[in-house]
Amino acid sequence: MSKLTRRTFVGICATAPLMGNALAADDVIEIGMHNRDPDDKKKRNVFSPRVVRIKAGEKVRFAAADKGHNSASSKGMIPEGVDPWKGKINEEIELTFDKPGVYGYECTPHVSIGMVGLIIVEGDGMLDNLEAAQGRKQRGKAKKVWKEIWAEAEEKGLLNQA
């Protein structure tokens, strides 16, 4: 077993951030399921971030930051031919998004109080189901939150073909 010298330790510490950045391209995008928004404690029962844009083939992990939440696809808000998903309460779920399009999702027990989010998957046909997703009838606070989400996606240019 070799001895770890101070010089070696300093070198490892100096290069570790660079290695982390190199590995970040292969990382899974994480969406937290929270009782309170980490950026605004006044907002309760949220996904954070609530809107993401990814490339086809990338993975998303819905992480149970707090208990009582899950992630499930929203009916009528995923591309045609894609199987819906429904994670278990209090458990992480990791999904690979291969088909371009918009994917609405929700926390099953908290959808009516606005715990919803959007994943936009880049590629040919990414806006094919946009009109159907935006046209889905929403109830409760989810209606207001979806308006905010669509406005945020538009404002940030996330719905632009690239």
Side-chain angles (χ1 to χ4, degrees), residues 75-128:
K75 187 176 181 181
M77 296 186 77
I78 60 175
E80 192 172 313
V82 173
D83 291 331
W85 74 88
K86 184 175 182 181
K88 294 180 181 180
I89 303 291
N90 301 329
E91 291 187 17
E92 286 187 357
I93 181 172
E94 189 172 291
L95 305 164
T96 302
F97 291 83
D98 292 319
K99 185 170 184 176
V102 296
Y103 293 75
Y105 61 90
E106 59 196 46
C107 173
T108 307
H110 300 114
V111 63
S112 65
I113 57 173
M115 191 168 177
V116 296
L118 180 67
I119 297 170
I120 303 157
V121 181
E122 297 175 359
D124 290 336
M126 74 178 245
L127 301 179
D128 288 356

Side-chain angles (χ1 to χ4, degrees), residues 44-85:
R44 301 181 64 121
N45 297 310
V46 297
F47 290 101
S48 181
R50 67 182 182 180
V51 181
V52 297
R53 180 168 163 161
I54 64 172
K55 292 176 175 37
E58 286 189 304
K59 292 181 182 182
V60 172
R61 176 185 308 118
F62 292 94
D66 296 305
K67 291 187 177 195
H69 307 293
N70 76 328
S71 169
S73 56
S74 297
K75 187 176 181 181
M77 296 186 77
I78 60 175
E80 192 172 313
V82 173
D83 291 331
W85 74 88

Side-chain angles (χ1 to χ4, degrees), residues 18-38:
L18 300 174
M19 292 177 67
N21 289 340
L23 296 175
D26 296 329
D27 283 349
V28 174
I29 289 82
E30 187 165 293
I31 297 174
M33 300 181 284
H34 300 274
N35 290 338
R36 292 187 187 270
D37 189 320

